């Protein structure tokens, strides 16, 4: 072997050795992760929401608000068993189960304010534990279908039969338990075409579901009947029921008063009017977003998941 050939051979062996050393230094878990497919976006979104802790707050002597992984859940408790309004996302089940167990009674009824996953995900385990799930008839229909949620760009398969409501209604449904009278009322298409509100008469508490996002721009699901004008009308319906002492539980956001709901209704009206004028003038969705019509609203309403540009799109698609 000539000296030049030997030098080339030594350089080659050194390079191969360095490569082997580098391979050994790369964490095997990292290498395995690189070979695995990316997590399903819907599963990732569920996990993100499910990681939020549950916070409890008393609304009355036997009424508790649980807030966190998927909005706001209200629980009526007492000797007659628990009545639970909405159910959080599936990954939050262990935390929800613990929170309900701390209230000291089995769950008798579950109420879905609409069909979306963050309000219905834990129907199945609650039903398996003995609860009857109550919802609007459209909720059962929507849960039985596959869906694509625009703006969020998420896809959902039909819910399993075990998660579907066992008892449905079309207009109103009343339930009496633990010294309280609970009235469920269907809302004409607003956030979806499945919305209901829950009125706890004696406690003067109103669960608005997702027709009300307090302190943030709302999501409106045009793919399942949601309309921005319906959201405004729903706000007016809620205002007609509430008085200055009513505790209003939004689908998302902090506990609210009637005055808070008035501000929200006014924001919806202003926002819808502005986007309607842009759309009527022939502006495309992209042009309407570029016009930045909500600059003066973003400070009060843009701190949630949906920013000003998102809300222009939401309204444009649901006018």
């Amino acid at each position: 072997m000539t000296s030049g050939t030997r030098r080339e051979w030594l350089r080659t062996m050194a390079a191969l050795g360095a490569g082997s050393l580098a391979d050994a230094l790369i964490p095997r878990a990292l290498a395995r992760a690189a070979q695995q497919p990316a997590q399903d976006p819907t599963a990732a979104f569920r996990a993100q929401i499910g990681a939020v802790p549950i916070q409890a707050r008393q609304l009355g002597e036997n009424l508790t608000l649980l807030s966190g992984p998927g909005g706001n859940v209200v629980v009526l408790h007492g000797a007659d068993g628990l009545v639970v309004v909405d159910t959080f996302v599936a990954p939050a089940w262990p935390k929800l189960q613990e929170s309900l167990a701390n209230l000291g009674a089995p769950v008798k009824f579950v109420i879905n304010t609409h069909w979306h996953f963050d309000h219905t995900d834990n129907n199945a385990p609650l039903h398996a534990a003995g609860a009857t799930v109550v919802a609007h008839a459209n909720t059962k229909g929507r849960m039985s279908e596959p869906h694509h949620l625009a703006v969020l760009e998420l896809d959902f398969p039909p819910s399993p039969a075990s998660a579907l409501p066992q008892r449905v209604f079309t207009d109103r449904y009343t339930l009496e338990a633990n010294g309280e009278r609970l009235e469920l009322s269907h809302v004409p298409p607003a956030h979806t075409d499945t919305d209901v509100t829950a009125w706890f008469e004696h406690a003067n508490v109103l669960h608005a579901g997702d027709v009300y996002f307090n302190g943030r721009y709302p999501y409106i699901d045009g793919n399942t009947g949601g309309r921005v004008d319906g959201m405004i009308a729903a706000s007016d319906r809620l205002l007609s029921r509430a008085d200055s002492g009513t505790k209003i539980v939004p689908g998302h956001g902090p506990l609210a008063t009637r005055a808070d709901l008035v501000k929200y209704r006014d924001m919806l009206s202003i926002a819808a009017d502005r986007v309607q004028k842009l759309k009527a003038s022939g502006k495309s969705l992209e042009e309407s977003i570029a016009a930045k019509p909500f600059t003066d609203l973003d400070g009060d309403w843009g701190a949630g998941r949906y920013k000003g540009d998102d809300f222009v799109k939401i309204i444009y698609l649901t006018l």
Side-chain angles (χ1 to χ4, degrees):
M1 181 182 295
T2 66
S3 58
T5 303
R6 179 176 176 78
R7 283 194 298 272
E8 291 174 4
W9 179 80
L10 289 171
R11 282 197 297 268
T12 301
M13 294 307 294
L16 288 172
S20 298
L21 180 62
D23 288 343
L25 291 174
I26 295 174
R28 293 182 180 181
L30 197 61
R32 285 196 301 269
Q35 296 171 355
Q36 294 175 353
Q39 187 178 15
D40 171 68
T42 302
F45 193 59
R46 270 191 169 101
Q48 179 190 39
I49 297 172
V52 177
I54 293 176
Q55 296 182 328
R57 173 176 177 173
Q58 289 301 116
L59 297 179
E61 183 179 351
N62 60 345
L63 209 58
T64 298
L65 171 63
L66 302 177
S67 300
N72 292 314
V73 169
V74 172
V75 185
L76 173 66
H77 42 92
D80 295 332
L82 307 184
V83 180
V84 180
V85 182
D86 287 337
T87 74
F88 294 141
V89 294
W93 169 243
K95 292 181 290 188
L96 176 61
Q97 186 178 32
E98 180 181 2
S99 296
L100 296 177
N102 288 338
L103 294 175
V107 182
K108 293 298 185 182
F109 290 95
V110 170
I111 294 155
N112 297 146
T113 59
H114 61 291
W115 79 267
H116 283 158
F117 72 104
D118 50 333
H119 301 258
T120 62
D121 255 3
N122 289 307
N123 280 5
L126 287 166
H127 178 54
T132 298
V133 180
V134 182
H136 190 267
N138 289 351
T139 292
K140 185 173 184 177
R142 292 300 191 184
M143 290 178 68
S144 303
E145 306 166 341
H147 293 285
H148 174 77
L149 294 189
V151 181
L152 288 170
E153 295 300 322
L154 297 176
D155 293 288
F156 293 86
S159 299
S162 59
L164 299 180
Q166 292 84 51
R167 192 173 298 178
V168 298
F169 64 96
T170 57
D171 184 28
R172 293 182 185 274
Y173 185 90
T174 58
L175 192 157
E176 295 190 9
N178 302 316
E180 181 62 79
R181 184 177 186 274
L182 175 58
E183 181 181 293
L184 308 179
S185 301
H186 176 52
V187 178
H191 176 65
T192 67
D193 62 7
T194 70
D195 303 312
V196 301
T197 59
W199 166 249
F200 296 86
E201 181 180 318
H202 300 306
N204 195 15
V205 170
L206 182 57
H207 195 315
D210 277 9
V211 301
Y212 182 25
F213 283 50
N214 187 23
R216 61 198 69 184
Y217 292 127
Y219 180 67
I220 307 172
D221 184 5
N223 288 354
T224 56
R227 305 287 298 174
V228 66
D229 56 353
M231 291 286 277
I232 296 167
S235 296
D236 287 332
R237 286 168 64 100
L238 290 169
L239 288 169
S240 70
R241 172 58 65 89
D243 59 35
S244 60
T246 304
K247 296 174 182 176
I248 304 174
V249 179
H252 300 270
L255 187 67
T257 64
R258 190 179 190 280
D260 295 324
L261 181 56
V262 169
K263 293 177 184 177
Y264 172 78
R265 189 272 315 276
D266 291 346
M267 178 276 292
L268 287 178
S269 298
I270 292 168
D273 181 65
R274 291 178 184 176
V275 177
Q276 172 64 49
K277 287 176 178 175
L278 288 168
K279 191 170 185 177
S281 71
K283 292 286 193 296
S284 67
L285 171 60
E286 292 72 22
E287 290 170 334
S288 297
I289 292 171
K292 301 292 182 183
F294 300 153
T295 302
D296 60 324
L297 301 177
D298 288 345
D300 290 331
W301 303 97
R305 183 175 299 277
Y306 308 106
K307 309 307 179 186
D309 289 356
D310 299 319
F311 198 45
V312 174
K313 183 174 182 179
I314 288 169
I315 291 181
Y316 193 98
L317 296 176
T318 59
L319 281 169

